[in-house]
Amino acid sequence: MLILWLILFGFVSKSLASKYGIYYLFLAPEYLGSVSFWSYFIMGFAIGTFVMTFNISSYIMNSKYFPFIAALKSPFLRFCINNSLLPFIFITYYVLQVINYQIQNENTSKETIALYVFAIIIGYVINIIGSLTYFLSTNKNIFEKLGISSSVDDENPTNTLFTKQGSVYDILKSKTKWHVEIYLHTPFVVKPARDISHYDEKMLKSVISQNHLNASFFEIVIFISLIVLGLFSENKIFVIPAGASIILFFTILFILMSAFYTWLKGWTAIVILSLFFLVNHLSKNDNFSYDNMAYGLNYNTVKADYSIKNLSKLSNNTSRIKKDKKNAIAILENWKKKNNSISKPKIVFVNTSGGGSRAMLWTFYMLQTTDSITNGKLFNQAHLITGSSGGMIGAAYFRELYLRKNNLNHSIYSKKYINNVAQDLLNPIAFSIATNDFFFRLKKHKVGNYSYTKDRGYSFERQLLLNTGEILDKTLKDYTSPEYNAEIPMMVLAPTVINDGRRMLISSQPISYLTTNDYINSVKNKPIIENVEFTRLFAAQDAENVRFTSALRMSATFPIIMPRVSLPSEPKINVIDAGMRDNFGKLTTYKYIYTFKDWINENTSGIVIITLRDKPKQLAVNKKSINSIAENFLSPVGSLYDNLFPIQDYNLDQMLHYLGNDFTKPIDVVDFELNNSENEISLSWHLTTKEKEKVVNSINSKKNQESLKRLKLLLL
């Protein structure tokens, strides 16, 4: 129980998971799209629920150690008062942190800060008073059991601290009660503990048992309420701030802990561990596990054959590769016709990095800005967009706006769309985790003829559609025609297959040429199959009808927060974030450029590769020379993760260097870097007001301004 408190203190103090912006979910909570009185009120109310559940759980587990409270008026109330030190420290610390955050980061007025603090306290107090009212009206003490008036609680007890029964040795070895001399009768009044030796022990136990029953009933009501609340997750009024959802999830853990203890007593730890291993083992069986699915795919038909033999067959089909290359050349020719005002235009490739909402906003804003300052030339000459995670979502949104630009009420460069893409995505995900994903998945939804269980993946997609005005509510095949006619750039998503590390290439176009290696006479080697074409492998499972938002989600499946997606294959494969293999999509871009190098050399004046990065390319060297023992022990794993993307950069830069040998025309790489060298902007699906400003203002850096000037000259 104390571990959960430590985790909360870690979140609020920014000492735990600060990189992912958990700190901001507590100190700048959003409700209905804004930080307000009500968002802080809900936080205060949630903390109140957590505190009362902590008190109830503590009472159920520990009241047997303090049998004297059964002789007090309102025993549960007295227990809560004496158990209030930790909750009081937390709520005080939380309020101080909110005040400090609002002053230092948001420049909020004193009046507004006072309103926020008032909201927290009011929410907290209402919950506490409401809960205690229930217990005061239902709980009994020993005098009520006996039907007599209670005596005053200040009679002098028999002091047993230094007697044989109350010796330090007896206190330490006692398993049934702790020695207590005084207790808090009210938060500000101390009274001596009663001597209860003259009371009937069975009667005292019956008082505590009756209090336990009421406490258990209260916990059951809270638990059911949270589950029922999850049934209304599609009503935005019920989607509470993500910080409150985290607190409610911890509340449920308290309830489960005390429930187990009520039933199992001293066997609790052993049984919980046994259940954990049992559930973990059963989860390997399809009948005991929840699969997170890609919506639009058919999971009820024959499974796709994910074997080396079949992957080789798909990858090395010469006639199919030739046909797909012919289709790609036709798209390139259509691109050329669209740019016929220039004899040999430069062909543009866009690579965008992952990075949650910060990458999504940065990519969208930069595509908007660069297309605007080049008078529409950028997207007119853009041929292919690749990348990962949030960056690809931002690019997909701008691409769809570009496709609809003649039918929109606003210019595609409108600030309205920047605000849309910067909206919160985390609240519904966290709410789903707290009330649905880890307990009972009761709701389903239909896509076409197929039915799926609603989970946090569904919540993510639904919120993304709401934020972007539903314009991404399409299937993969809906983009086949506009891509083929070069109305918009092609887009290739590449989530990583967990089972073997391969890349699952998702595109509206047939792209088998990206899954094979061209035969070279001088090279005698049997290459490993690295890339798998999604639409070909899952053709029988209706791959072309997969929802486009599901394809984006597969590419943006950051562990824990987003569920990994299971695909209908044998053996079953799961996919996660594309950034695990290629954070910028450059493997796809370079492979495509190499495949069509002859056409590009003949029909263009060069290649421009725009890289939209969520952090600088040249990172400062870590100067920390002395590590702790724990850091030295964990440094190999930690260093590998911290340097995952720099390692990709090293390899990709070398690939580009050698790719240049096949071209007579220049390859210009133009980098736009989000000013996030100190990780000040969290890696999350939620951005604070200040973080949004930092993202947008990154365009003003000297390096980015130079890149803008260079890009304008390249696309003249």
Side-chain angles (χ1 to χ4, degrees):
M1 292 173 71
L2 292 177
I3 288 173
L4 296 182
W5 279 107
L6 288 174
I7 292 173
L8 280 183
F9 272 106
F11 287 159
V12 173
S13 65
K14 207 177 180 179
S15 58
L16 188 64
S18 60
K19 177 181 178 181
Y20 306 107
I22 302 296
Y23 175 78
Y24 300 118
L25 303 182
F26 288 84
L27 303 189
E30 282 191 15
Y31 177 63
L32 298 178
S34 63
V35 176
S36 63
F37 171 91
W38 292 111
S39 65
Y40 282 106
F41 175 87
I42 293 170
M43 288 298 297
F45 194 87
I47 294 171
T49 303
F50 181 74
V51 167
M52 284 309 302
T53 308
F54 169 69
N55 285 332
I56 293 167
S57 301
S58 300
Y59 187 71
I60 290 173
M61 294 182 183
N62 298 321
S63 57
K64 66 181 181 181
Y65 297 121
F66 312 104
F68 78 92
I69 63 173
L72 302 178
K73 185 178 180 180
S74 306
F76 179 70
L77 174 61
R78 307 303 167 207
F79 184 91
C80 288
I81 292 171
N82 286 271
N83 202 47
S84 62
L85 180 61
L86 191 54
F88 176 76
I89 292 173
F90 179 78
I91 193 70
T92 303
Y93 182 69
Y94 175 65
V95 167
L96 292 175
Q97 286 291 87
V98 168
I99 294 171
N100 184 57
Y101 171 82
Q102 291 293 340
I103 292 173
Q104 292 191 1
N105 294 278
E106 303 292 348
N107 299 321
T108 309
S109 67
K110 293 180 181 178
E111 294 78 12
T112 304
I113 293 175
L115 183 67
Y116 290 162
V117 171
F118 178 71
I120 295 169
I121 294 172
I122 286 296
Y124 181 81
V125 169
I126 286 176
N127 192 310
I128 299 296
I129 291 176
S131 302
L132 288 176
T133 299
Y134 162 77
F135 284 104
L136 290 174
S137 64
T138 58
N139 282 5
K140 295 180 182 295
N141 56 39
I142 193 167
F143 304 108
E144 291 171 320
K145 281 275 188 180
L146 296 172
I148 60 177
S149 298
S150 61
S151 58
V152 182
D153 287 342
D154 60 358
E155 62 182 55
N156 294 324
T158 303
N159 191 316
T160 60
L161 184 60
F162 298 107
T163 64
K164 181 179 179 182
Q165 293 87 348
S167 67
V168 173
Y169 174 75
D170 284 333
I171 294 169
L172 291 175
K173 75 174 185 177
S174 173
K175 293 184 178 179
T176 57
K177 63 181 179 178
W178 292 347
H179 182 81
V180 178
E181 286 287 317
I182 57 173
Y183 71 97
L184 287 170
H185 184 71
T186 70
F188 307 104
V189 176
V190 175
K191 286 194 174 184
R194 288 180 180 275
D195 178 14
I196 58 170
S197 58
H198 57 286
Y199 290 120
D200 180 62
E201 186 176 347
K202 288 184 178 179
M203 186 63 72
L204 290 171
K205 287 183 177 179
S206 71
V207 171
I208 292 178
S209 295
Q210 186 264 339
N211 289 179
H212 282 188
L213 185 64
N214 290 337
S216 297
F217 177 75
F218 188 81
E219 286 190 328
I220 291 170
V221 170
I222 293 175
F223 186 80
I224 293 174
S225 299
L226 293 177
I227 300 302
V228 171
L229 191 63
L231 298 177
F232 297 94
S233 59
E234 291 178 38
N235 187 323
K236 61 182 181 180
I237 293 175
F238 292 97
V239 180
I240 61 177
S245 293
I246 294 171
I247 292 172
L248 291 184
F249 180 70
F250 284 4
T251 300
I252 291 175
L253 294 182
F254 270 155
I255 292 172
L256 293 176
M257 276 188 253
S258 62
F260 274 113
Y261 187 82
T262 300
W263 302 327
L264 304 170
K265 304 301 181 187
W267 289 90
T268 301
I270 293 173
V271 172
I272 287 178
L273 285 173
S274 300
L275 280 175
F276 173 79
F277 288 115
L278 177 62
V279 171
N280 183 62
H281 177 72
L282 291 176
S283 65
K284 298 178 182 179
N285 188 304
D286 288 340
N287 296 322
F288 294 94
S289 66
Y290 288 117
D291 280 336
N292 301 99
M293 300 178 178
Y295 307 131
L297 273 183
N298 184 359
Y299 286 79
N300 301 319
T301 187
V302 61
K303 307 301 181 187
D305 180 13
Y306 192 82
S307 64
I308 299 297
K309 182 179 179 181
N310 190 47
L311 295 182
S312 298
K313 181 180 176 182
L314 292 173
S315 179
N316 298 315
N317 190 316
T318 307
S319 61
R320 180 182 291 157
I321 292 170
K322 187 179 293 186
K323 182 179 178 182
D324 290 357
K325 283 184 176 180
K326 186 177 179 180
N327 180 78
I329 293 294
I331 297 173
L332 285 166
E333 289 293 341
N334 289 333
W335 173 88
K336 182 180 175 182
K337 289 176 186 176
K338 185 174 72 169
N339 290 281
N340 60 8
S341 60
I342 308 171
S343 59
K344 284 194 175 185
K346 288 188 180 293
I347 187 168
V348 176
F349 294 85
V350 177
N351 294 148
T352 177
S353 75
S357 287
R358 73 188 185 200
M360 183 164 61
L361 175 57
W362 176 241
T363 297
F364 180 86
Y365 179 66
M366 286 311 304
L367 289 177
Q368 206 183 47
T369 302
T370 51
D371 193 63
S372 175
I373 67 165
T374 58
N375 298 316
K377 287 184 177 180
L378 175 81
F379 233 61
N380 209 49
Q381 292 177 224
H383 176 64
L384 176 66
I385 301 173
T386 59
S388 70
S389 195
M392 288 298 278
I393 298 175
Y397 183 41
F398 185 78
R399 187 178 77 146
E400 182 61 34
L401 291 172
Y402 185 85
L403 180 63
R404 298 174 180 234
K405 63 182 177 181
N406 296 325
N407 300 309
L408 296 173
N409 295 326
H410 302 83
S411 163
I412 60 172
Y413 310 125
S414 169
K415 189 177 179 180
K416 164 188 169 66
Y417 301 120
I418 297 175
N419 293 334
N420 286 350
V421 82
Q423 289 185 84
D424 173 78
L425 286 168
L426 187 59
N427 279 355
I429 298 173
F431 187 67
S432 180
I433 292 173
T435 61
N436 179 65
D437 275 30
F438 291 154
F439 300 102
F440 307 107
R441 299 185 184 183
L442 303 175
K443 297 191 296 180
K444 293 184 178 293
H445 71 112
K446 288 194 72 175
V447 175
N449 298 321
Y450 312 130
S451 179
Y452 307 90
T453 302
K454 290 183 178 179
D455 53 30
R456 62 191 186 278
Y458 169 81
S459 300
F460 173 83
E461 289 189 34
R462 182 176 178 277
Q463 191 62 46
L464 176 62
L465 289 173
L466 290 174
N467 290 357
T468 55
E470 307 279 352
I471 67 172
L472 292 172
D473 189 14
K474 291 185 170 185
T475 63
L476 196 61
K477 69 180 180 183
D478 288 334
Y479 288 106
T480 304
S481 177
E483 284 186 2
Y484 182 83
N485 295 319
E487 297 172 53
I488 53 174
M490 287 174 56
M491 183 172 276
V492 178
L493 298 156
T496 306
V497 179
I498 295 176
N499 306 53
D500 52 25
R502 289 186 169 89
R503 298 194 309 144
M504 183 66 65
L505 302 185
I506 305 175
S507 174
S508 300
Q509 302 300 322
I511 52 172
S512 59
Y513 49 81
L514 293 178
T515 67
T516 189
N517 291 315
D518 287 340
Y519 180 74
I520 301 173
N521 290 329
S522 59
V523 177
K524 308 299 180 184
N525 179 44
K526 189 174 182 180
I528 298 172
I529 299 163
E530 178 190 7
N531 301 311
V532 182
E533 189 180 8
F534 175 79
T535 52
R536 288 266 165 64
L537 178 63
F538 296 104
Q541 290 73 33
D542 218 2
E544 291 185 340
N545 278 315
V546 73
R547 306 305 297 178
F548 189 61
T549 49
S550 288
L552 290 171
R553 173 164 60 92
M554 283 190 271
S555 174
T557 307
F558 190 81
I560 301 174
I561 300 299
M562 296 287 286
R564 64 183 189 178
V565 177
S566 298
L567 297 175
S569 63
E570 182 57 45
K572 181 170 68 178
I573 58 173
N574 299 284
V575 293
I576 56 170
D577 202 287
M580 297 302 293
R581 281 293 317 276
D582 182 11
N583 195 42
F584 299 96
K586 291 194 176 186
L587 288 173
T588 303
T589 296
Y590 296 166
K591 178 89 170 179
Y592 187 93
I593 291 172
Y594 178 80
T595 302
F596 299 104
K597 60 182 182 293
D598 294 336
W599 191 95
I600 293 172
N601 267 326
E602 183 180 343
N603 294 279
T604 74
S605 59
I607 297 169
V608 176
I609 299 175
I610 296 174
T611 307
L612 305 173
R613 313 178 64 93
D614 78 321
K615 61 182 65 174
K617 185 175 182 179
Q618 297 286 356
L619 296 175
V621 177
N622 186 357
K623 296 180 180 179
K624 188 176 180 181
S625 57
I626 301 176
N627 294 327
S628 67
I629 294 174
E631 287 172 331
N632 283 326
F633 181 74
L634 297 173
S635 61
V637 177
S639 296
L640 182 62
Y641 176 76
D642 291 341
N643 293 313
L644 177 63
F645 301 135
I647 289 170
Q648 290 182 11
D649 276 327
Y650 302 147
N651 294 334
L652 291 167
D653 270 5
Q654 281 207 351
M655 287 179 66
L656 180 62
H657 176 75
Y658 292 112
L659 180 65
N661 292 328
D662 293 304
F663 285 87
T664 57
K665 307 292 172 58
I667 299 177
D668 288 284
V669 179
V670 183
D671 292 325
F672 291 100
E673 300 177 348
L674 180 61
N675 188 16
N676 192 34
S677 57
E678 301 298 325
N679 286 319
E680 296 171 333
I681 308 171
S682 54
L683 179 59
S684 171
W685 291 117
H686 174 90
L687 294 174
T688 65
T689 303
K690 277 290 183 182
E691 287 179 318
K692 293 172 189 175
E693 291 175 1
K694 287 176 183 176
V695 171
V696 172
N697 290 335
S698 289
I699 188 64
N700 298 318
S701 72
K702 182 180 178 181
K703 187 176 290 185
N704 286 332
Q705 286 297 309
E706 289 173 353
S707 293
L708 280 175
K709 292 176 183 176
R710 184 168 165 235
L711 181 62
K712 287 178 70 175
L713 291 172
L714 288 169
L715 298 183
L716 279 177

